[in-house]
Amino acid sequence: MESKGNWDALPPQGPTDATASPTLDHKGCGASGGAGKASCGSSMAPQDMAPGVWDKVKNHPCYSEEAHHHYARMHVAVAPACNIQCNYCNRKYDCANESRPGVVSERLTPEQAARKTLAVASAIPQMTVLGIAGPGDPLANPEKTFKTFELIAREAPDIKLCLSTNGLALPDYVDRIKDLNVDHVTITINMVDPDVGARIYPWIYYRHKRHTGREAAQILHERQMQGLEMLTERGILCKVNSVMIPGINDQHLVEVNKAVKSRGAFLHNIMPLISAPEHGTVFGLAGQRGPTAQELKALQDRCEGQMNMMRHCRQCRADAVGLLGEDRSSEFTTEKVMEMELTYDGAARRAYQEAVEDQRNEKIAAKEAELEGLRDRGADIAILVAVATKGEGRVNEHFGHAKEFQIYEVSPTGAKFVGHRRVDLYCQGGYGEEDALPTIIRALNDCTAVLVAKIGGCPRATLKEAGIEPVDSCAYEFIDAAAIAYYKDYIDRIEKGEITPVLKGDAAIRQGAYVAA
C-alpha cells in the first residue's frame, strides 16, 4: 500500500477576496418546524419541506435517512490534490483495506470515471447519486471535477450530481456548480472560531500562498461562510459535515450548528473523529481520542433542537460504491469496467425505482399500524435497539454476518434512527469467531435488544449474559414496525412485573472502519 498523505495541491484561485456576509434570514429547505428548526432533516416527508425540495432528496441516500435503506450512491476518485491540511486526515492511494474518507484504490481520469458511473448504474439500478469527494478536495481539482460532471450529465441525466468540499475555493466556483445542475453540495465545517480552527488545520494554500495558524483558520472560516451563503441563495441544497473532536471542538460544534443553520444549511452531519494510530493522522499519532457513542448522541440531540441532523453517515471512502454501509467498488475496477459491455437502460432504472417506492409505501403503512395504541404507553421510557440489516429497511441479516448494526431509539413516539456501529464479523469461514464477541458487545453495550434474522446459540447466550436481548422472531419484517412491536412487548413485560428497566452503560464507536476479512 502506497501512502501519499501530502499530495500537493496548488490550483489557481480566483481574484475575489472573501469576506463573510451577514447572516441570512432564509433557511435552506424553505420549511419551518417546531422549536425554530427546519423540518427537512434526514427523516423527512413531502409535507415537511418547500415544493420541489422533496424531489431532490427523496431518493438521495445521504440527504434522507429513509432513502438510504433503498438507494445507492457512488464516489469517483478524480480529485487527488488538496488545498488544506487537516489533523484528522491522511489520504491513502492504492489502499483496499480501509473504509474512511480520503482513501482510494484507484485514481481515475474524468473519462474513466464516466465509464465507471455508467457501468455501476447499469448493474445497480438503485444507484441514484454520483458524488466527487476526493480523495483530496474536488475544488482543488476543478478541471477534473467539472469535466467528470459534464460527461456524466450528458450520458446519464437521471443521476443526481453531488460535490463534497472543505469550502476554501467554493466561492470561486458556485456559479459553475449551479450551471452544471449540481444541486447537492456538502461542506466540511469544523469551527467558526479561528482559535479552535488553528488546532485542527496546520495550514491552507490560498491565493498562491501557504497560510498557517490562526490566520489560516480565519481565511478558511470566511470562505466557508461565504460559500454556504452563495449556495443557498442559488437554491442549492447544502449539507454541513463536522468532525467531533473531544476536547477541541465538541462543545464548539453547537455554535457551528447555529451558524450554518442561520446561513441556510439544509442538514448537519456531526461525525465521530476517526483517530486510530494506524491511520497515520496527526491526531491519531498524538493519542487524540474519538467520542463515545453517548457523547456523540448527546451532541447530536443537543443540536437537533436547532436543525435536523444526519445520523446515518458511514464516513465513506472516496471511491465507495453501493448502499451506505456496503462497498462494492472491487466489482468495478478500471480493468473490469473496460471489459464490460455497457448498455445504459434508463427505462429499466425508472421501473426499478418505482418498485422501490411501492415498497417504501408498504413500509410506512406497517409502521403506522404498529404505532396504533403506542403513544399512551411507556411513560418516559426510551430504549436503544440494534438491528442487523443488509438493506431494504428490513431485519434481514444474520447476527454472524453483520458488519454493522443500525441503532434505533424507541419510545412512545415511535422508532427513530440514531446511528450505526461497525463491528468485527462474528462468522468467518463458516465458524463463529469467539474473540469478536467482546468487541460486538462493547459496540452494543447501550442497547436493550438486538433484532436479527437469525442467531446461533453461543452468541445468543453471551448477549443475554451482557444484558442485551437477542430477538429473531421479527426476521424479514420492516425495521420500524419490528422495533415498535418489540417496544410494546417490552413495556408489557414491565407492566406485568416480569422485567425491570436497567440503566445501560456507554458503548464504543469503533475507531476506524471495517477491514475486510
Side-chain angles (χ1 to χ4, degrees), residues 356-367 394 478:
V356 168
E357 290 306 306
D358 290 340
Q359 186 181 68
R360 289 175 73 176
N361 292 331
E362 182 185 351
K363 175 183 173 183
I364 292 169
K367 176 181 177 179
R394 295 182 184 270
F478 288 115

Side-chain angles (χ1 to χ4, degrees), residues 252-483:
H252 178 62
L253 286 180
V254 176
E255 298 306 313
V256 172
N257 179 266
K258 294 176 182 177
V260 300
K261 174 181 182 283
S262 71
R263 289 170 172 82
F266 179 82
L267 197 61
H268 194 188
N269 173 28
I270 297 179
M271 308 175 293
L273 172 71
I274 296 176
S275 62
E278 58 265 29
H279 295 142
T281 67
V282 171
F283 280 148
L285 296 175
Q288 170 65 50
R289 74 173 180 88
T292 67
Q294 285 189 2
E295 288 172 336
L296 178 63
K297 183 177 181 298
L299 178 58
Q300 291 171 334
D301 288 347
R302 186 178 177 190
C303 290
E304 195 170 50
Q306 297 298 319
M307 67 185 297
N308 281 288
M309 308 299 294
M310 177 184 181
R311 301 187 191 237
H312 58 284
C313 176
R314 301 307 198 274
Q315 295 175 275
C316 304
R317 289 167 59 102
D319 57 4
V321 174
L323 296 170
L324 296 192
E326 74 172 2
D327 185 5
R328 297 176 57 180
S329 58
S330 62
E331 301 175 33
F332 301 96
T333 63
T334 299
E335 181 179 1
K336 292 178 181 178
V337 166
M338 294 306 294
E339 295 174 353
M340 293 179 181
E341 290 286 340
L342 300 185
T343 302
Y344 191 77
D345 190 340
R349 283 172 49 79
R350 287 191 296 274
Y352 180 93
Q353 292 170 22
E354 287 171 2
V356 168
E357 290 306 306
D358 290 340
Q359 186 181 68
R360 289 175 73 176
N361 292 331
E362 182 185 351
K363 175 183 173 183
I364 292 169
K367 176 181 177 179
E368 291 301 318
E370 282 294 345
L371 280 171
E372 288 296 322
L374 174 64
R375 292 185 175 88
D376 57 352
R377 304 285 305 282
D380 294 327
I381 296 176
I383 61 173
L384 296 183
V385 172
V387 181
T389 179
K390 52 186 176 183
E392 299 181 355
R394 295 182 184 270
V395 183
N396 57 7
E397 183 68 284
H398 190 298
F399 175 85
H401 299 164
K403 302 171 185 176
E404 70 166 28
F405 291 89
Q406 296 190 3
I407 309 299
Y408 285 76
E409 183 176 64
V410 197
S411 71
T413 61
K416 173 184 176 182
F417 183 95
V418 295
H420 69 282
R421 312 280 168 77
R422 285 182 172 138
V423 297
D424 292 311
L425 275 174
Y426 174 69
C427 286
Q428 299 187 28
Y431 297 92
E433 181 57 57
E434 301 308 320
D435 289 343
L437 270 178
T439 65
I440 296 173
I441 288 171
R442 284 196 294 272
L444 307 182
N445 189 51
D446 54 350
C447 295
T448 299
V450 55
L451 311 185
V452 299
K454 191 175 181 180
I455 186 170
C458 179
R460 180 188 295 273
T462 304
L463 286 166
K464 285 183 177 179
E465 290 174 4
I468 304 170
E469 184 176 6
V471 180
D472 58 4
S473 58
C474 55
Y476 302 100
E477 294 179 7
F478 288 115
I479 293 172
D480 295 75

